[in-house]
Amino acid sequence: GDFEMGVEMLKKIESRLERYLEFLDKHSELVLFYKITCLYFGNGNFREALKWLNRILNSDYQDIREDVHSFARILNLITHYELGNTDVIEYYLRSTYRFLLKKDDLHLFQERILSFIKNLSKVSTDDELMEKFRDLRDQMIQLSRSKYDKRAFVYFDIISWLESKIERRPVGQVIMDKASQSTSS
């Protein structure tokens, strides 16, 4: 959960990273880009996360690791929300729906998140927004207990992100606190 330390470590090797990418297969490259995206997202550096997300989304290899592409699209929407880029969210929402339907990868996890994001524009008060965050968190907690849906939570800890919004704390801090609680138990 120490995203800040992870980002510092990444910055030390990032200049050399590009030349090592040629030694990776496309599968490993996409997974690496996704992990780097999550590292920056967890650190609250959404612009840098978006840079790495775009490397996945603009990849010519959309048939390789379709799962990573699917979750990258979901994370793209959430990242644009975090950046306040409301003008592009509707476009990316439609694009994400089309992609998931085309790949036959629209599951309950994705449906609930996409529905939540779609309805954010209808929220008018902060209290209403917090209620929407709580409602989605409760739905996600239920899904995380389902043997069919819990795999989705490996890609992105949406529950911690939702809790960070509800508690008005950085997502990295929420994840770090959860990690320290699980190691002390």
Side-chain angles (χ1 to χ4, degrees):
D2 192 346
F3 294 98
E4 188 175 336
M5 182 182 72
V7 166
E8 288 304 314
M9 291 171 66
L10 179 61
K11 285 180 181 178
K12 290 178 184 176
I13 65 160
E14 194 168 3
S15 63
R16 298 184 309 258
L17 188 61
E18 291 302 321
R19 74 181 141 184
Y20 291 112
L21 289 176
E22 66 187 58
F23 298 109
L24 293 179
D25 58 70
K26 291 301 171 190
H27 164 275
S28 299
E29 183 178 291
L30 290 171
V31 171
L32 177 64
F33 291 169
Y34 191 81
K35 297 285 187 186
I36 292 172
T37 297
C38 291
L39 184 65
Y40 280 114
F41 188 95
N43 196 45
N45 190 335
F46 304 113
R47 292 212 182 285
E48 198 65 24
L50 195 57
K51 178 181 115 178
W52 290 93
L53 271 171
N54 284 331
R55 291 186 74 169
I56 298 168
L57 299 175
N58 297 328
S59 165
D60 293 332
Y61 303 98
Q62 301 216 353
D63 291 331
I64 299 174
R65 289 306 302 258
E66 290 177 1
D67 56 337
V68 171
H69 282 279
S70 295
F71 282 95
R73 288 171 184 273
I74 299 286
L75 193 51
N76 183 53
L77 284 164
I78 294 170
T79 302
H80 279 292
Y81 171 79
E82 284 288 358
L83 289 168
N85 297 339
T86 54
D87 53 329
V88 298
I89 289 178
E90 190 175 320
Y91 167 79
Y92 284 124
L93 193 59
R94 284 192 310 269
S95 173
T96 301
Y97 267 119
R98 278 193 307 272
F99 179 85
L100 294 173
L101 288 170
K102 178 181 165 191
K103 299 296 181 182
D104 195 27
D105 196 26
L106 185 59
H107 303 288
L108 202 51
F109 178 87
Q110 289 98 330
E111 282 181 24
R112 297 236 172 115
I113 294 168
L114 294 175
S115 175
F116 167 79
I117 292 170
K118 180 180 179 182
N119 291 318
L120 281 178
S121 63
K122 299 173 186 168
V123 174
S124 58
T125 68
D126 196 46
D127 288 341
E128 195 178 341
L129 179 62
M130 287 303 118
E131 187 57 37
K132 295 280 185 199
F133 280 124
R134 283 187 206 92
D135 185 44
L136 182 60
R137 180 200 55 200
D138 294 345
Q139 291 176 43
M140 292 292 114
I141 289 170
Q142 285 290 88
L143 285 176
S144 72
R145 295 177 182 144
S146 160
K147 70 178 184 176
Y148 301 109
D149 295 301
K150 67 180 177 184
R151 182 174 176 259
F153 295 89
V154 170
Y155 293 92
F156 177 61
D157 187 353
I158 191 157
I159 295 171
S160 291
W161 176 71
L162 292 164
E163 289 173 351
S164 80
K165 303 310 285 177
I166 294 164
E167 298 169 12
R168 299 181 189 329
R169 297 188 311 144
V171 68
Q173 188 62 53
V174 172
I175 292 171
M176 191 181 298
D177 288 352
K178 283 182 176 182
S180 66
Q181 287 173 359
S182 70
T183 58
S184 65
S185 307

PDB file of all heavy atoms in Angstrom, residues 19 23-24 26 31 33 73 85 95 99 101 105-106 110 114 126 143 165:
ATOM      1  N   ARG A  19      13.808   0.857 -22.943  1.00  0.00           N
ATOM      2  CA  ARG A  19      14.679  -0.028 -23.731  1.00  0.00           C
ATOM      3  C   ARG A  19      14.525  -1.499 -23.331  1.00  0.00           C
ATOM      4  O   ARG A  19      14.830  -2.385 -24.118  1.00  0.00           O
ATOM      5  CB  ARG A  19      16.127   0.428 -23.672  1.00  0.00           C
ATOM      6  CG  ARG A  19      16.829   0.170 -22.404  1.00  0.00           C
ATOM      7  CD  ARG A  19      18.249   0.673 -22.446  1.00  0.00           C
ATOM      8  NE  ARG A  19      18.462   1.232 -21.117  1.00  0.00           N
ATOM      9  CZ  ARG A  19      19.525   1.838 -20.720  1.00  0.00           C
ATOM     10  NH1 ARG A  19      20.504   2.019 -21.537  1.00  0.00           N
ATOM     11  NH2 ARG A  19      19.622   2.288 -19.512  1.00  0.00           N
ATOM     12  N   PHE A  23      12.248  -6.453 -24.812  1.00  0.00           N
ATOM     13  CA  PHE A  23      12.516  -7.836 -24.422  1.00  0.00           C
ATOM     14  C   PHE A  23      11.277  -8.533 -23.855  1.00  0.00           C
ATOM     15  O   PHE A  23      11.313  -9.732 -23.590  1.00  0.00           O
ATOM     16  CB  PHE A  23      13.650  -7.891 -23.396  1.00  0.00           C
ATOM     17  CG  PHE A  23      14.947  -7.363 -23.926  1.00  0.00           C
ATOM     18  CD1 PHE A  23      15.443  -6.142 -23.474  1.00  0.00           C
ATOM     19  CD2 PHE A  23      15.671  -8.052 -24.894  1.00  0.00           C
ATOM     20  CE1 PHE A  23      16.635  -5.639 -23.967  1.00  0.00           C
ATOM     21  CE2 PHE A  23      16.858  -7.560 -25.393  1.00  0.00           C
ATOM     22  CZ  PHE A  23      17.350  -6.341 -24.931  1.00  0.00           C
ATOM     23  N   LEU A  24      10.200  -7.773 -23.663  1.00  0.00           N
ATOM     24  CA  LEU A  24       8.972  -8.338 -23.120  1.00  0.00           C
ATOM     25  C   LEU A  24       8.020  -8.720 -24.240  1.00  0.00           C
ATOM     26  O   LEU A  24       7.947  -8.044 -25.263  1.00  0.00           O
ATOM     27  CB  LEU A  24       8.259  -7.315 -22.224  1.00  0.00           C
ATOM     28  CG  LEU A  24       8.927  -6.915 -20.927  1.00  0.00           C
ATOM     29  CD1 LEU A  24       8.066  -5.872 -20.208  1.00  0.00           C
ATOM     30  CD2 LEU A  24       9.168  -8.110 -20.029  1.00  0.00           C
ATOM     31  N   LYS A  26       4.124  -8.985 -25.629  1.00  0.00           N
ATOM     32  CA  LYS A  26       3.038  -7.993 -25.527  1.00  0.00           C
ATOM     33  C   LYS A  26       2.152  -8.246 -24.307  1.00  0.00           C
ATOM     34  O   LYS A  26       1.677  -7.305 -23.677  1.00  0.00           O
ATOM     35  CB  LYS A  26       2.199  -7.972 -26.807  1.00  0.00           C
ATOM     36  CG  LYS A  26       2.959  -7.402 -27.972  1.00  0.00           C
ATOM     37  CD  LYS A  26       3.419  -5.985 -27.669  1.00  0.00           C
ATOM     38  CE  LYS A  26       4.354  -5.455 -28.717  1.00  0.00           C
ATOM     39  NZ  LYS A  26       4.981  -4.198 -28.341  1.00  0.00           N
ATOM     40  N   VAL A  31       0.463  -6.039 -19.001  1.00  0.00           N
ATOM     41  CA  VAL A  31       0.311  -6.223 -17.557  1.00  0.00           C
ATOM     42  C   VAL A  31       1.189  -5.212 -16.810  1.00  0.00           C
ATOM     43  O   VAL A  31       0.747  -4.594 -15.836  1.00  0.00           O
ATOM     44  CB  VAL A  31       0.650  -7.675 -17.142  1.00  0.00           C
ATOM     45  CG1 VAL A  31       0.703  -7.810 -15.626  1.00  0.00           C
ATOM     46  CG2 VAL A  31      -0.376  -8.646 -17.725  1.00  0.00           C
ATOM     47  N   PHE A  33       2.188  -2.246 -17.886  1.00  0.00           N
ATOM     48  CA  PHE A  33       1.567  -0.926 -18.026  1.00  0.00           C
ATOM     49  C   PHE A  33       0.386  -0.776 -17.068  1.00  0.00           C
ATOM     50  O   PHE A  33       0.198   0.277 -16.463  1.00  0.00           O
ATOM     51  CB  PHE A  33       1.090  -0.692 -19.459  1.00  0.00           C
ATOM     52  CG  PHE A  33       2.193  -0.527 -20.473  1.00  0.00           C
ATOM     53  CD1 PHE A  33       1.894  -0.547 -21.821  1.00  0.00           C
ATOM     54  CD2 PHE A  33       3.526  -0.351 -20.105  1.00  0.00           C
ATOM     55  CE1 PHE A  33       2.883  -0.396 -22.780  1.00  0.00           C
ATOM     56  CE2 PHE A  33       4.522  -0.207 -21.050  1.00  0.00           C
ATOM     57  CZ  PHE A  33       4.202  -0.221 -22.392  1.00  0.00           C
ATOM     58  N   ARG A  73     -10.210   0.083 -19.352  1.00  0.00           N
ATOM     59  CA  ARG A  73     -11.280   0.986 -19.783  1.00  0.00           C
ATOM     60  C   ARG A  73     -12.109   1.464 -18.585  1.00  0.00           C
ATOM     61  O   ARG A  73     -12.493   2.627 -18.516  1.00  0.00           O
ATOM     62  CB  ARG A  73     -12.155   0.305 -20.824  1.00  0.00           C
ATOM     63  CG  ARG A  73     -11.425   0.184 -22.152  1.00  0.00           C
ATOM     64  CD  ARG A  73     -12.174  -0.684 -23.149  1.00  0.00           C
ATOM     65  NE  ARG A  73     -11.399  -0.832 -24.359  1.00  0.00           N
ATOM     66  CZ  ARG A  73     -11.419   0.007 -25.376  1.00  0.00           C
ATOM     67  NH1 ARG A  73     -12.193   1.077 -25.330  1.00  0.00           N
ATOM     68  NH2 ARG A  73     -10.676  -0.201 -26.449  1.00  0.00           N
ATOM     69  N   ASN A  85     -12.635  15.482 -15.670  1.00  0.00           N
ATOM     70  CA  ASN A  85     -12.824  15.551 -17.125  1.00  0.00           C
ATOM     71  C   ASN A  85     -14.220  15.065 -17.510  1.00  0.00           C
ATOM     72  O   ASN A  85     -14.374  14.113 -18.271  1.00  0.00           O
ATOM     73  CB  ASN A  85     -11.764  14.710 -17.848  1.00  0.00           C
ATOM     74  CG  ASN A  85     -10.371  15.212 -17.622  1.00  0.00           C
ATOM     75  OD1 ASN A  85     -10.162  16.361 -17.267  1.00  0.00           O
ATOM     76  ND2 ASN A  85      -9.393  14.356 -17.824  1.00  0.00           N
ATOM     77  N   SER A  95     -17.947   4.090 -25.417  1.00  0.00           N
ATOM     78  CA  SER A  95     -16.858   3.301 -25.988  1.00  0.00           C
ATOM     79  C   SER A  95     -16.594   2.052 -25.152  1.00  0.00           C
ATOM     80  O   SER A  95     -16.382   0.961 -25.693  1.00  0.00           O
ATOM     81  CB  SER A  95     -15.605   4.167 -26.071  1.00  0.00           C
ATOM     82  OG  SER A  95     -14.497   3.412 -26.467  1.00  0.00           O
ATOM     83  N   PHE A  99     -16.998  -1.841 -26.297  1.00  0.00           N
ATOM     84  CA  PHE A  99     -15.865  -2.759 -26.198  1.00  0.00           C
ATOM     85  C   PHE A  99     -16.247  -4.003 -25.399  1.00  0.00           C
ATOM     86  O   PHE A  99     -15.983  -5.139 -25.825  1.00  0.00           O
ATOM     87  CB  PHE A  99     -14.660  -2.069 -25.558  1.00  0.00           C
ATOM     88  CG  PHE A  99     -13.466  -2.964 -25.398  1.00  0.00           C
ATOM     89  CD1 PHE A  99     -12.572  -3.138 -26.439  1.00  0.00           C
ATOM     90  CD2 PHE A  99     -13.236  -3.643 -24.206  1.00  0.00           C
ATOM     91  CE1 PHE A  99     -11.466  -3.975 -26.307  1.00  0.00           C
ATOM     92  CE2 PHE A  99     -12.139  -4.484 -24.063  1.00  0.00           C
ATOM     93  CZ  PHE A  99     -11.256  -4.646 -25.114  1.00  0.00           C
ATOM     94  N   LEU A 101     -19.204  -5.254 -24.723  1.00  0.00           N
ATOM     95  CA  LEU A 101     -20.205  -6.064 -25.418  1.00  0.00           C
ATOM     96  C   LEU A 101     -19.574  -6.835 -26.572  1.00  0.00           C
ATOM     97  O   LEU A 101     -19.869  -8.018 -26.775  1.00  0.00           O
ATOM     98  CB  LEU A 101     -21.344  -5.186 -25.929  1.00  0.00           C
ATOM     99  CG  LEU A 101     -22.283  -4.654 -24.846  1.00  0.00           C
ATOM    100  CD1 LEU A 101     -23.231  -3.603 -25.425  1.00  0.00           C
ATOM    101  CD2 LEU A 101     -23.058  -5.776 -24.179  1.00  0.00           C
ATOM    102  N   ASP A 105     -17.735  -9.374 -22.507  1.00  0.00           N
ATOM    103  CA  ASP A 105     -17.093  -9.275 -21.196  1.00  0.00           C
ATOM    104  C   ASP A 105     -17.835  -8.299 -20.282  1.00  0.00           C
ATOM    105  O   ASP A 105     -17.246  -7.715 -19.388  1.00  0.00           O
ATOM    106  CB  ASP A 105     -15.634  -8.838 -21.380  1.00  0.00           C
ATOM    107  CG  ASP A 105     -14.787  -9.080 -20.141  1.00  0.00           C
ATOM    108  OD1 ASP A 105     -15.132  -9.986 -19.348  1.00  0.00           O
ATOM    109  OD2 ASP A 105     -13.798  -8.354 -19.947  1.00  0.00           O
ATOM    110  N   LEU A 106     -19.126  -8.111 -20.516  1.00  0.00           N
ATOM    111  CA  LEU A 106     -19.900  -7.214 -19.666  1.00  0.00           C
ATOM    112  C   LEU A 106     -20.553  -8.040 -18.568  1.00  0.00           C
ATOM    113  O   LEU A 106     -21.564  -8.700 -18.782  1.00  0.00           O
ATOM    114  CB  LEU A 106     -20.947  -6.462 -20.488  1.00  0.00           C
ATOM    115  CG  LEU A 106     -21.751  -5.402 -19.741  1.00  0.00           C
ATOM    116  CD1 LEU A 106     -20.833  -4.328 -19.157  1.00  0.00           C
ATOM    117  CD2 LEU A 106     -22.774  -4.766 -20.668  1.00  0.00           C
ATOM    118  N   GLN A 110     -18.805  -4.888 -13.990  1.00  0.00           N
ATOM    119  CA  GLN A 110     -18.684  -3.788 -14.932  1.00  0.00           C
ATOM    120  C   GLN A 110     -20.012  -3.043 -15.092  1.00  0.00           C
ATOM    121  O   GLN A 110     -20.033  -1.816 -15.139  1.00  0.00           O
ATOM    122  CB  GLN A 110     -18.220  -4.288 -16.311  1.00  0.00           C
ATOM    123  CG  GLN A 110     -16.793  -4.727 -16.345  1.00  0.00           C
ATOM    124  CD  GLN A 110     -16.642  -6.221 -16.205  1.00  0.00           C
ATOM    125  OE1 GLN A 110     -17.443  -6.892 -15.562  1.00  0.00           O
ATOM    126  NE2 GLN A 110     -15.592  -6.760 -16.791  1.00  0.00           N
ATOM    127  N   LEU A 114     -20.379   0.923 -14.513  1.00  0.00           N
ATOM    128  CA  LEU A 114     -20.765   1.760 -15.650  1.00  0.00           C
ATOM    129  C   LEU A 114     -22.074   2.486 -15.371  1.00  0.00           C
ATOM    130  O   LEU A 114     -22.220   3.670 -15.697  1.00  0.00           O
ATOM    131  CB  LEU A 114     -20.854   0.928 -16.921  1.00  0.00           C
ATOM    132  CG  LEU A 114     -19.528   0.349 -17.417  1.00  0.00           C
ATOM    133  CD1 LEU A 114     -19.753  -0.565 -18.618  1.00  0.00           C
ATOM    134  CD2 LEU A 114     -18.527   1.431 -17.737  1.00  0.00           C
ATOM    135  N   ASP A 126     -23.749  17.130  -2.649  1.00  0.00           N
ATOM    136  CA  ASP A 126     -22.668  16.330  -2.082  1.00  0.00           C
ATOM    137  C   ASP A 126     -23.222  15.146  -1.285  1.00  0.00           C
ATOM    138  O   ASP A 126     -22.675  14.053  -1.334  1.00  0.00           O
ATOM    139  CB  ASP A 126     -21.771  17.208  -1.205  1.00  0.00           C
ATOM    140  CG  ASP A 126     -20.442  16.547  -0.896  1.00  0.00           C
ATOM    141  OD1 ASP A 126     -19.828  16.006  -1.842  1.00  0.00           O
ATOM    142  OD2 ASP A 126     -20.029  16.567   0.279  1.00  0.00           O
ATOM    143  N   LEU A 143     -20.672  -8.279  -4.293  1.00  0.00           N
ATOM    144  CA  LEU A 143     -20.064  -8.968  -5.436  1.00  0.00           C
ATOM    145  C   LEU A 143     -18.726  -9.605  -5.069  1.00  0.00           C
ATOM    146  O   LEU A 143     -18.385 -10.665  -5.584  1.00  0.00           O
ATOM    147  CB  LEU A 143     -19.863  -8.007  -6.605  1.00  0.00           C
ATOM    148  CG  LEU A 143     -21.106  -7.621  -7.398  1.00  0.00           C
ATOM    149  CD1 LEU A 143     -20.755  -6.601  -8.464  1.00  0.00           C
ATOM    150  CD2 LEU A 143     -21.739  -8.852  -8.034  1.00  0.00           C
ATOM    151  N   LYS A 165     -13.392   7.876  -1.280  1.00  0.00           N
ATOM    152  CA  LYS A 165     -14.287   8.974  -1.631  1.00  0.00           C
ATOM    153  C   LYS A 165     -15.231   9.268  -0.470  1.00  0.00           C
ATOM    154  O   LYS A 165     -15.462  10.421  -0.134  1.00  0.00           O
ATOM    155  CB  LYS A 165     -15.093   8.651  -2.899  1.00  0.00           C
ATOM    156  CG  LYS A 165     -14.261   8.319  -4.121  1.00  0.00           C
ATOM    157  CD  LYS A 165     -13.174   9.296  -4.432  1.00  0.00           C
ATOM    158  CE  LYS A 165     -13.617  10.582  -5.031  1.00  0.00           C
ATOM    159  NZ  LYS A 165     -12.511  11.526  -5.251  1.00  0.00           N
TER     160      LYS A 165
END
